[in-house]
Amino acid sequence: MNTDIRPFRIDIPQEDLDDLRARLGRTRWPRPLPGDQWRRGVPVDYLRELVEYWRDGYDWRAHEARLNGFPQHTTEIDGHEVHFLHVRSTAPDAVPLILTHGWPNSFVEFADLIGPLSKDFHVVVPSLPGFGFSAPPSGTGWDAARVARMWAELMDRLGYSRYGTQGGDFGAYVAPEIARIAPEHVIGVYLISGLGFPTEADLPELTEAERETYTALMSADWANGVDHHALLRAAPQTFAYGWHDSPVGALAWMVQKFKEFNASGKPLEEVISRDQILTNTSVYWFTGTFGSSAWPYYDSSGFAWPQGAPGVPTGVYSGPPGIRRLAERHTRVVHWAEDNPGGHHFTAMDQPDHLAADIRKFFGAVSREGSGW
């Protein structure tokens, strides 16, 4: 196995940009279906305006240059080429921290977070296998534990013997899994959300207030939208043809999920900018990874909320709608915020400064008191 760490730079060929623009211009638009806005999916007028901006207003080269402002590398782990950002801090006591993105996101999720974090942390941001510039899985049977082993190897290869882990969405499964695999190396696990979410099996022991939390959780848009878990588990290859061939079809799918995952109570465009959505979508488009990024779903047997790692201190950016005592059945929770802003799926994109401050608070406490844990 080649363990070399090689410099990497994003350089999308101009012909790929020209092809994208041409495809956007040849869109065969469907008729709007009857019903209120968003009732049948992404409204035609909404998407047409966004597509026109993607074609004539959005500047990929500017965002490509910005992403290339972060030191990027590739290395082979477990037989797969892994792409990652590695931003070293100038702080003498900086804590190494590995961030894991989720779906339908990419390493782009952390573009606004890296700067604030790098004041106090050596930041490592790998692309999940099959996402962006990382090679896709070569076979079936992949899970969060396999990715966690790869990330532990990556941190060892970078020379970090003690470090923190962070994640949201699928990253919320990977981050604690690293601590289970390498507990002697992980000083703390920090998750955006997901711990202690009540299930139907918990109902008999819930208080009246907690039952109301469960009801609200089950009625949220992100819990009742398009069931991407079932869709990607059942027929990802079928849908990948459309996403891979039609940038408008791919964008519509992304916008659908970004809207459903937005639980802030505000319109999507007030929470996540058009350029953020388009940069993330463009990475998927140019790397052809709409299909390969579905593996966390088609390789799963069902859905379950993430669980923390016993014995390793864990912090959560947004506790509710999770219930702390439920999370503490399997996790050593030492930080459980209830009033942080940004109650939705994409906190790193919407609230990078608040998220960085909370991560700093958690790992500051872990670093000071870690010998007692």
Side-chain angles (χ1 to χ4, degrees):
M1 180 177 66
N2 185 351
T3 61
D4 292 345
I5 294 176
R6 298 169 294 280
F8 179 85
R9 184 175 179 82
I10 304 170
D11 186 14
I12 302 301
Q14 184 59 42
E15 63 187 53
D16 289 359
L17 273 72
D18 295 340
D19 175 71
L20 171 59
R21 192 169 189 276
R23 287 172 183 263
L24 293 173
R26 292 196 305 268
T27 301
R28 185 178 179 223
W29 290 99
R31 297 184 182 91
L33 300 180
D36 298 333
Q37 289 283 302
W38 296 95
R39 185 174 177 82
R40 302 287 184 261
V42 182
V44 174
D45 290 346
Y46 180 99
L47 193 64
R48 188 191 293 268
E49 181 181 355
L50 187 57
V51 165
E52 289 174 354
Y53 176 69
W54 196 9
R55 185 189 65 205
D56 298 324
Y58 172 78
D59 186 350
W60 163 258
R61 290 300 187 200
H63 290 281
E64 181 183 68
R66 186 193 178 205
L67 294 175
N68 280 330
F70 301 117
Q72 298 175 67
H73 309 271
T74 61
T75 191
E76 182 184 330
I77 304 176
D78 193 11
H80 293 76
E81 195 79 357
V82 174
H83 162 260
F84 65 97
L85 281 59
H86 186 199
V87 182
R88 292 185 182 272
S89 175
T90 58
D93 56 349
V95 175
L97 177 64
I98 184 166
L99 314 179
T100 305
H101 66 82
W103 181 95
N105 233 311
S106 65
F107 73 98
V108 172
E109 176 180 357
F110 300 117
D112 292 333
L113 179 65
I114 293 172
L117 277 184
S118 63
K119 298 175 183 177
D120 303 281
F121 298 90
H122 300 307
V123 184
V124 179
V125 184
S127 294
L128 287 167
F131 288 70
F133 299 99
S134 282
S138 57
T140 59
W142 283 68
D143 57 13
R146 185 164 181 177
V147 176
R149 288 192 291 272
M150 295 174 73
W151 284 190
E153 169 63 26
L154 174 61
M155 296 302 276
D156 180 68
R157 196 171 295 180
L158 292 174
Y160 297 134
S161 60
R162 295 283 285 166
Y163 52 86
T165 69
Q166 183 275 341
D169 189 72
F170 187 67
Y173 298 83
V174 174
E177 198 66 44
I178 302 172
R180 294 192 189 97
I181 290 167
E184 70 279 13
H185 297 297
V186 176
I187 64 173
V189 176
Y190 185 92
L191 306 179
I192 297 294
S193 187
L195 290 186
F197 279 20
T199 66
E200 188 172 353
D202 296 315
L203 286 175
E205 64 175 283
L206 298 185
T207 66
E208 184 175 348
E210 290 169 345
R211 285 173 179 265
E212 292 177 359
T213 295
Y214 173 77
T215 300
L217 174 66
M218 291 297 99
S219 63
D221 284 350
W222 57 270
N224 291 279
V226 177
D227 190 348
H228 59 284
H229 287 267
L231 185 153
L232 295 175
R233 190 161 55 244
Q237 186 68 69
T238 298
F239 295 100
Y241 294 111
W243 298 325
H244 189 79
D245 189 61
S246 168
V248 173
L251 180 61
W253 176 234
M254 281 288 187
V255 170
Q256 175 78 33
K257 298 313 299 181
F258 266 70
K259 182 181 185 300
E260 289 175 354
F261 287 162
N262 168 30
S264 68
K266 302 176 183 177
L268 176 61
E269 54 272 19
E270 293 182 14
V271 178
I272 306 295
S273 73
R274 294 187 299 179
D275 278 29
Q276 287 175 308
I277 293 174
L278 291 175
T279 300
N280 185 64
T281 304
S282 295
V283 167
Y284 275 79
W285 175 260
F286 290 131
T287 58
T289 50
F290 285 98
S292 61
S293 65
W295 70 259
Y297 302 96
Y298 66 70
D299 269 354
S300 69
S301 58
F303 175 78
W305 296 116
Q307 294 187 359
V312 177
T314 298
V316 180
Y317 176 83
S318 178
I323 299 171
R324 181 166 183 167
R325 66 179 180 82
L326 298 184
E328 289 177 336
R329 293 179 300 190
H330 47 69
T331 308
R332 190 164 195 174
V333 178
V334 300
H335 179 82
W336 183 269
E338 299 196 2
D339 56 358
N340 279 328
H344 58 84
H345 205 72
F346 304 108
T347 303
M349 301 175 87
D350 177 39
Q351 300 287 344
D353 291 331
H354 287 286
L355 178 56
D358 205 60
I359 290 174
R360 191 177 299 114
K361 180 179 180 180
F362 167 68
F363 281 105
V366 168
S367 298
R368 289 192 302 272
E369 304 177 35
S371 60
W373 286 322

